[in-house]
């Protein structure tokens, strides 16, 4: 007997999650034996509902929302027997994309087939888990601006925020320390990838694998603005890692320090640098779309 809880983040996707919640619940009931519905109007309420469901021993916690809702659910599901499923209904949906569950039909197919995957998670020294990418610098500033924008919806919001932040872009002295090396340079951004993408499908760490026990780090060093304008289009293809201004590392743990940058993880604000992160192997069980 499979028990599930559906956690609805009603504000996700400018209200899209609330509009489709009934349809999603009906579809999920065809794949599980019992389904409880939880609707929270705040991040605090969402986190509390996720924790209650996991503490009650539910088999699967299904999040109807975006990366913000998924991030809160990860905090509850990490290192527990409860599997996480994500029905994409937000702005970025990077975790759902990584799991192949971009629709409720994908989740239902995964539940019916018993399709799950063991994923690594990142964890900060302060105890925050993240499933996709932790970033700081230019990209976290873009996140802050994108979160404040009311228009446009979807990934284009991040594109607009990128252009706006370019105007005030300034490098800073960054130190990256891993278990095997230390890197100190004038940098514009650093991204620590558990999965490949953030910002609605930007593969900032294109070779990241959430099952290898390691982070992929991408560091962009100081460069003229005209150079960055040539590099930016390659972000969507992952070819930016071939540019001389881009450094890549692979590590089990890392400490980022130096600038007065704010770190974001899964698109959510964490805290200012310094920040320490560690990869935890197999810390999350996730429902995935079955392979064709």
């Amino acid at each position: 007997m499979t028990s599930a809880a559906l956690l609805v983040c009603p504000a996700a996707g400018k209200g899209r999650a609330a509009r489709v919640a009934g349809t999603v619940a009906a579809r999920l009931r065809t794949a599980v034996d019992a389904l409880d519905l939880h609707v929270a109007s705040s991040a605090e309420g969402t986190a509390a509902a996720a924790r209650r469901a996991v503490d009650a021993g539910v088999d699967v916690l299904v999040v109807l929302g975006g990366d913000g809702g998924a991030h809160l659910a990860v905090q509850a599901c990490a290192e527990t027997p409860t599997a996480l499923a994500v029905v994409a209904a937000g702005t970025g949906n990077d975790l759902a994309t990584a799991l192949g569950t971009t629709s409720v039909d994908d989740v239902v197919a995964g539940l019916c087939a018993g399709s799950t995957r063991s994923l690594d998670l990142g964890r900060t020294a302060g105890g925050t888990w993240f499933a996709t990418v932790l970033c700081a610098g230019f990209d976290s500033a873009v996140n802050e601006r994108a979160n404040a924008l009311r228009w446009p919806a979807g990934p284009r919001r991040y594109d607009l925020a990128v252009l706006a932040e370019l105007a005030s872009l300034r490098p800073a002295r960054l130190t990256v320390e891993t278990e095997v090396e230390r890197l100190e340079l004038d940098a514009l951004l650093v991204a620590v990838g558990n999965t490949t993408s953030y910002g609605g499908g930007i593969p900032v760490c294109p070779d990241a694998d959430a099952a290898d026990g390691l982070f992929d780090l991408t560091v962009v060093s100081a460069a003229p603005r005209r150079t960055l304008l040539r590099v930016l289009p390659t972000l969507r293809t992952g070819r930016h890692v071939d540019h001389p201004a881009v450094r890549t590392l692979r590590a089990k743990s890392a400490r980022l320090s130096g600038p007065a940058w704010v770190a974001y993880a899964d698109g959510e604000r964490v805290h200012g640098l310094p920040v320490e992160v560690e990869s935890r192997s197999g810390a999350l069980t996730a429902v995935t779309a079955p392979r064709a």
Side-chain angles (χ1 to χ4, degrees):
M1 181 173 179
T2 302
S3 62
L6 174 60
L7 184 60
V8 180
C9 306
K14 288 198 166 185
R16 178 172 178 265
R19 292 192 297 272
V20 302
T23 301
V24 169
R27 288 287 291 120
L28 289 172
R29 287 191 174 98
T30 67
V32 299
D33 299 296
L35 180 72
D36 293 328
L37 181 63
H38 303 271
V39 182
S41 59
S42 67
E44 293 78 10
T46 300
R51 177 56 62 193
R52 285 196 302 270
V54 171
D55 288 347
V58 71
D59 295 314
V60 183
L61 178 62
V62 184
V63 177
L64 175 59
D67 286 323
H71 177 75
L72 294 172
V74 164
Q75 311 310 308
C77 292
E79 295 186 336
T80 75
T82 298
L84 174 67
V86 183
V87 178
T91 300
N93 303 314
D94 288 299
L95 181 55
T97 301
L99 299 175
T101 57
T102 54
S103 72
V104 65
D105 290 336
D106 293 326
V107 172
V108 167
L111 289 169
C112 290
S115 178
T116 61
R117 180 184 173 195
S118 181
L119 297 182
D120 303 337
L121 289 176
R123 184 174 171 88
T124 70
T128 299
W129 296 95
F130 64 96
T132 57
V133 178
L134 179 142
C135 63
F138 175 69
D139 40 8
S140 60
V142 167
N143 245 314
E144 296 233 274
R145 184 177 289 271
N147 288 343
L149 291 174
R150 304 184 68 85
W151 179 92
R156 292 302 175 194
R157 181 183 299 180
Y158 293 97
D159 294 339
L160 183 62
V162 164
L163 294 175
E165 284 299 324
L166 274 173
S168 57
L169 187 62
R170 297 289 184 275
R173 197 68 180 173
L174 172 71
T175 300
V176 180
E177 299 170 89
T178 73
E179 66 272 17
V180 295
E181 60 187 308
R182 174 187 172 94
L183 181 66
E184 189 171 355
L185 75 170
D186 291 332
L188 297 170
L189 69 86
V190 56
V192 181
N194 182 54
T195 60
T196 62
S197 302
Y198 65 4
I202 299 172
V204 65
C205 301
D207 296 322
D209 180 352
D212 65 359
L214 298 171
F215 293 125
D216 278 30
L217 284 77
T218 298
V219 184
V220 179
S221 60
R225 193 171 279 105
R226 62 181 179 275
T227 300
L228 293 175
L229 287 171
R230 290 195 297 268
V231 173
L232 281 175
T234 67
L235 275 170
R236 287 284 178 186
T237 64
R239 294 295 304 275
H240 59 284
V241 295
D242 298 328
H243 195 277
V246 178
R247 298 281 300 272
T248 58
L249 303 84
R250 187 162 286 172
K252 178 75 174 175
S253 62
R255 185 177 192 272
L256 314 176
S257 61
W261 291 347
V262 176
Y264 268 68
D266 295 336
E268 298 298 303
R269 205 175 205 268
V270 181
H271 57 70
L273 267 56
V275 63
E276 296 180 34
V277 294
E278 178 188 7
S279 176
R280 296 282 188 92
S281 297
L284 179 72
T285 300
V287 175
T288 60
R291 294 185 179 181

